[in-house]
Amino acid sequence: MTNSIDIVTPDLCDAHPEIAVLDPLFANFGGLEAFYGPIRTIKCFEDNSMVKQAVTEPGNGAVLVVDAGGSHRCAMLGDMLAEQAVANGWAGVVMYGCVRDVDILAALPIGVQALGSHPRKSEKRGEGQRDIDVTFAGVTLQPGQWLYADNNGIIVAEQELPLS
């Protein structure tokens, strides 16, 4: 299940001025230009073991938000993990870090926003934390909040917003 309807974050911002807007640091890398869902979080640094574990679990239309510390020294998501995320029903991934295999990511039916691309893979040490509050791009994101993303940016609401 992916949430791929037409999301227009400027319209959502106009209708809901209380929502949080992430700083404009991210670029779209996935095959879906717009995506949304409830937030599930991971905090890790240059070790994508927890990302690998999460995408093998049922996503149920959720968005995986990964605080990778803003690292530009390796990729935390590539084609194989993104394909698993698609197969397990994740709506998207927001990576405060880098991704790789960008040509394949662009062909997959999943939303992926990240800081950039990097060809090097991450370490695998089994380190990180899941389902905790993470703060980056000027916003604290909490599991259970709702994230909406499109080419205009990324916004976060306390609950699901009505979409027209």
Side-chain angles (χ1 to χ4, degrees):
M1 173 180 127
T2 57
N3 300 323
S4 60
I5 68 160
D6 292 329
I7 298 162
V8 181
T9 56
D11 293 349
L12 290 172
C13 284
D14 292 350
H16 305 278
E18 73 283 1
I19 61 176
V21 179
L22 275 68
D23 292 342
L25 307 174
F26 297 86
N28 246 333
F29 290 95
L32 297 181
E33 292 186 349
F35 60 97
Y36 75 102
I39 293 173
R40 308 242 312 261
T41 64
I42 293 175
K43 184 177 178 81
C44 52
F45 185 73
E46 297 180 0
D47 177 346
N48 74 347
S49 301
M50 293 243 161
V51 177
K52 182 177 182 177
Q53 177 186 351
V55 299
T56 65
E57 300 168 0
N60 300 317
V63 176
L64 185 61
V65 174
V66 182
D67 179 355
S71 174
H72 284 84
R73 298 190 304 198
C74 67
M76 297 291 287
L77 179 81
D79 60 341
M80 292 188 294
L81 296 186
E83 287 168 353
Q84 284 191 304
V86 170
N88 288 306
W90 291 88
V93 177
V94 172
M95 180 65 67
Y96 185 56
C98 292
V99 296
R100 68 185 199 165
D101 305 313
V102 297
D103 296 330
I104 297 171
L105 294 183
L108 294 175
I110 189 168
V112 177
Q113 291 217 10
L115 298 180
S117 62
H118 197 290
R120 183 175 319 234
K121 67 181 180 179
S122 77
E123 297 291 323
K124 309 277 189 292
R125 297 181 305 271
E127 297 175 358
Q129 297 172 285
R130 286 185 68 179
D131 300 317
I132 63 166
D133 294 0
V134 295
T135 303
F136 57 82
V139 174
T140 297
L141 300 99
Q142 303 169 327
Q145 290 177 317
W146 283 72
L147 184 142
Y148 299 80
D150 66 6
N151 286 326
N152 294 292
I154 302 171
I155 61 175
V156 176
E158 292 300 317
Q159 66 275 331
E160 186 174 6
L161 301 175
L163 301 172
S164 52

